[in-house]
Amino acid sequence: MTLYDVAIVGAGPAGMAAAIEAAKVGLATTVLDEAAQPGGQIYRGIETACEARLAVLGKAYRDGATLVRAFRGSGVDYRPGTTVWHIEDADPGFVLYASTSGGSVALGARFLVVASGALERPTPMPGWTLPGVMTAGAIQILIKASGALPRDLVLVGSGPLLYLLGAQMVAAGRPPRALVTTVPPSRYLTAARYYTPLSRAAHAYLIKGIGLLSRLALARVPIHSNARGIRILGNDSVTGLRFFSGGRDREIDTNMVALHQGVVPNQQIGRLLRCDYLWHAGQHAFAPEVDRFGETSRVGVFIAGDGAGISGAVSAKLSGRLAAWRIAQHLGRTAPDPGPALAALRRDRAVRPLLETLYAPSPEVLDPSDETIVCRCEEVTAGAVRKTVHDGAVGPNQVKSFLRTGMGPCQGRMCGLAVSRIITVAAGGDPGEIGYFRIRPPLKPLSLNELAELELTDAVE
Amino acid sequence: MQRCFTPQGRSVRILFEDQPVEAQPGDSVAAALLCADVVWTRSTPVSGAHRAPFCMMGACFDCLVEIDGVPNRQACMVEVKEGMRVRRQQGDAFGELS
Ligand SMILES: Cc1cc2nc3c(=O)[nH]c(=O)nc-3n(C[C@H](O)[C@H](O)[C@H](O)COP(=O)(O)OP(=O)(O)OC[C@H]3O[C@@H](n4cnc5c(N)ncnc54)[C@H](O)[C@@H]3O)c2cc1C
Ligand code: FES
């Protein structure tokens, strides 16, 4: 089996930046990513985007081309279309197991950089499982990868990505039907407290946000703010949206709704490796315990980018570089002085408390009504989870064994935070102590074929 | 769902439930089906409810379909190929899995 100095999971901004630096200092490096092209979520499809698509997606997207080119030119062993489904301890380092279109591979690495990014926060609400409901990120993926957009899309929720999508739709000549936000006006006052210590970089984020909203207003997209009691209507697919806003009940007819309540760290690989996670109250999510360079509680395992806590693409690049330099040091190579990158990271992250306060997930999504499905795979409602907890289930894994939440194909990616939250509300205390589902391999269901093939390759080598 | 840019390259033809669907090169199966206005792509094992692609990034597994006879494929993670045969996944196909 090949042994690399470092294996990087994810070719988003964090993984690409880590790879470029690792290659510069001469580390034998491989990058595995399940997508067919490099770029991660933000720069998805950038290598094949035509000029019109680049214009619609905006400057921050276009800027990704430079990083992707540098990554392609770095000479690292890049493996697209490769899904990591297990990582095991080995001597030295780790063995990674991944499936590709051609079958399964196993490879060794002394160090790991987990740069598997973020997932959109699952947004349980009545009707969210109906065909016609997607996430805002999913719609962006349709633009980036297929140049496609729905008509009459209603955007629901909060957060910069939702407004960015709205502005991109305006630029594409397909403005959304309406923007329904869940941000109460009082939040602006609370958030303003974090304004004073802002750096220039953080200031730029705010100006950008205001610019996005004004583009929606200029295109005369109806904006309903502080929406409550949101229900998606329909029997077999979406027919409309009902909510309370501006002092009265409202209903919008539509067959497409995009939901968004921010993004949260993707925990699958870090949890599989039994890295320590802490509750990040500001982000309403779990984040791994890492040092300044991204090294986790597990020696040799680094987490970079949004997977280590949501900080966006600029920080993702910086944290990727820092991880690579630290690994270079551990392997006895000379690496650049991390001082300037650490300072830049601090400056870039300064805006986070403000964004986290302003766009905190809506209370309805955090504490969904009893009738709302939280586990999409097994169709388990919030009420059923509450009852099981009331009847004595003490932790996420017990709820899982009683109700099968987290045992379906998504392995808890959709219901994990909701289950931990429901138990926390019932038991009191800190979600960090309640914890999260125990993540086991395989991270994605494998076909028997793939498993059989893997055993065969092992036997041959 | 509609394309908003002039397509690049020759279109790819796949079959969904035996009906031809025109896709663009680089489309995921899920994107191709959504662009063909397919409303639902699977029914759930528990209640038989209809589902369609939700996250498009491999996280939710609501896009599971049968591709060329193999069940449990994530339509959002598989690229279209000329002549590919895609079917809705009805109910539980997980018997096939490890
Ligand atoms: C759907 C979505 C859309 C977003 N769009 C934007 C945007 O337009 N603008 C913006 O500023 N921010 C956007 N974000 C926020 C985004 O998280 C950050 O801006 C940035 O992309 C984070 O970079 P990263 O390198 O940490 O992770 P990502 O860019 O998310 O990259 C992670 C990579 O890891 C890969 N991966 C994950 N698990 C595995 C596995 N098991 N095996 C193999 N590969 C794996 C993924 O395929 C992905 O390419 C988006 C987030 C999401 C979830
Ligand atoms: S649409 Fe969510 S996994 Fe494919």
Side-chain angles (χ1 to χ4, degrees):
Chain A
M1 192 175 16
T2 331
L3 178 68
Y4 292 94
D5 290 325
V6 51
I8 300 169
V9 185
M16 288 190 290
I20 293 165
E21 296 306 315
K24 271 190 204 157
V25 293
L27 303 184
T29 306
T30 185
V31 178
L32 303 84
D33 192 304
E34 61 183 332
Q37 284 178 27
Q41 296 308 341
I42 177 165
Y43 307 133
R44 182 186 288 264
I46 189 145
E47 289 182 319
T48 46
C50 59
E51 186 51 39
R53 209 179 290 183
L54 289 171
V56 161
L57 290 165
K59 183 173 181 309
Y61 180 74
R62 193 188 285 267
D63 287 349
T66 318
L67 182 66
V68 172
R69 256 197 312 274
F71 172 66
R72 287 281 195 191
S74 67
V76 300
D77 206 344
Y78 167 49
R79 300 159 184 266
T82 305
T83 304
V84 175
W85 56 265
H86 187 33
I87 302 178
E88 226 168 39
D89 288 343
D91 195 13
F94 307 89
V95 180
L96 296 90
Y97 298 89
S99 53
T100 67
S101 62
S104 274
V105 291
L107 42 97
R110 292 176 197 277
F111 286 85
L112 288 177
V113 178
V114 180
S116 54
L119 302 177
E120 277 179 285
R121 174 187 296 283
T123 52
M125 59 174 72
W128 76 306
T129 55
L130 288 169
V133 182
M134 299 180 81
T135 68
I139 304 292
Q140 259 202 337
I141 290 169
L142 280 162
I143 311 179
K144 289 175 185 171
S146 296
L149 259 182
R151 286 197 184 282
D152 288 336
L153 179 68
V154 178
L155 304 178
V156 180
S158 82
L161 269 181
L162 191 69
Y163 307 151
L164 174 65
L165 171 61
Q168 288 169 337
M169 293 178 71
V170 169
R174 300 272 174 82
R177 177 79 179 277
L179 170 66
V180 178
T181 86
T182 52
V183 184
S186 60
R187 287 261 191 82
Y188 289 92
L189 285 178
T190 329
R193 272 194 287 146
Y194 296 102
Y195 188 76
T196 16
L198 285 189
S199 66
R200 248 197 352 223
H203 201 75
Y205 277 108
L206 282 187
I207 302 283
K208 192 175 171 205
I210 294 165
L212 295 176
L213 274 177
S214 58
R215 259 178 274 167
L216 285 167
L218 277 175
R220 299 187 187 285
V221 174
I223 301 180
H224 303 280
S225 51
N226 195 17
R228 289 286 169 267
I230 303 173
R231 300 183 74 84
I232 301 162
L233 310 173
N235 290 323
D236 284 332
S237 64
V238 177
T239 55
L241 183 80
R242 190 180 296 152
F243 55 96
F244 180 85
S245 164
R248 63 182 180 88
D249 288 319
R250 292 166 195 273
E251 209 171 298
I252 303 177
D253 290 338
T254 179
N255 54 23
M256 282 291 304
V257 172
L259 305 175
H260 187 74
Q261 293 281 344
V263 299
V264 295
N266 178 353
Q267 308 178 70
Q268 302 300 115
I269 297 178
R271 294 265 184 197
L272 172 76
L273 289 164
R274 305 287 174 254
C275 297
D276 289 340
Y277 274 74
L278 297 172
W279 181 249
H280 189 311
Q283 297 190 352
H284 296 268
F286 291 99
E289 203 174 354
V290 292
D291 68 11
R292 291 185 301 160
F293 304 99
E295 190 160 11
T296 66
S297 59
R298 293 282 324 269
V299 173
V301 179
F302 288 70
I303 302 185
D306 270 2
I310 304 306
S311 298
V314 173
S315 289
K317 277 175 244 179
L318 292 164
S319 67
R321 268 178 221 151
L322 285 162
W325 293 340
R326 188 65 163 182
I327 291 170
Q329 258 183 353
H330 283 321
L331 287 170
R333 313 288 167 100
T334 21
D337 167 24
L342 285 167
L345 195 58
R346 265 196 308 278
R347 278 197 304 277
D348 187 60
R349 285 180 176 160
V351 75
R352 289 293 144 182
L354 188 149
L355 294 180
E356 287 161 11
T357 309
L358 191 53
Y359 301 122
S362 112
E364 283 179 17
V365 160
L366 287 182
D367 297 304
S369 60
D370 277 347
E371 60 174 320
T372 304
I373 287 178
V374 290
C375 166
R376 297 174 64 99
C377 296
E378 301 289 333
E379 298 177 76
V380 180
T381 62
V385 177
R386 287 188 183 112
K387 179 165 185 310
T388 305
V389 173
H390 178 83
D391 291 349
V394 287
N397 296 305
Q398 245 186 7
V399 171
K400 180 174 174 176
S401 61
F402 288 148
L403 292 176
R404 298 190 49 83
T405 49
M407 271 195 225
C410 96
Q411 288 161 315
R413 289 169 177 87
M414 292 292 121
C415 68
L417 285 173
V419 168
S420 294
R421 164 85 183 182
I422 290 172
I423 301 171
T424 308
V425 169
D430 182 76
E433 280 152 37
I434 301 292
Y436 191 80
F437 292 139
R438 198 174 171 84
I439 302 299
R440 293 201 168 86
L443 291 177
K444 293 210 165 175
L446 292 178
S447 64
L448 292 176
N449 244 353
E450 277 176 307
L451 277 180
E453 213 176 315
L454 184 75
E455 273 158 29
L456 213 66
T457 6
D458 264 4
V460 171
E461 279 177 12
Chain B
M1 199 73 54
Q2 279 171 337
R3 311 276 175 178
C4 37
F5 309 105
T6 336
Q8 302 164 296
R10 277 190 51 199
S11 62
V12 176
R13 207 154 84 142
I14 63 169
L15 289 174
F16 178 65
E17 298 288 338
D18 300 320
Q19 299 300 309
V21 165
E22 294 280 319
Q24 296 301 322
D27 275 353
S28 64
V29 171
L33 298 181
L34 290 168
C35 287
D37 289 323
V38 168
V39 174
W40 64 283
T41 52
R42 77 163 179 130
S43 62
T44 62
V46 180
S47 72
H50 292 178
R51 293 282 173 87
F54 177 68
C55 73
M56 295 296 282
M57 58 175 287
C60 73
F61 290 74
D62 259 323
C63 62
L64 293 179
V65 290
E66 184 188 299
I67 299 180
D68 292 332
V70 183
N72 297 309
R73 304 293 316 271
Q74 284 176 288
C76 71
M77 302 303 290
V78 178
E79 243 179 69
V80 289
K81 271 206 207 85
E82 185 68 35
M84 206 174 228
R85 290 170 175 274
V86 182
R87 291 190 175 280
R88 292 194 167 102
Q89 179 150 320
Q90 312 258 9
D92 198 352
F94 268 82
E96 300 271 326
L97 290 180
S98 62

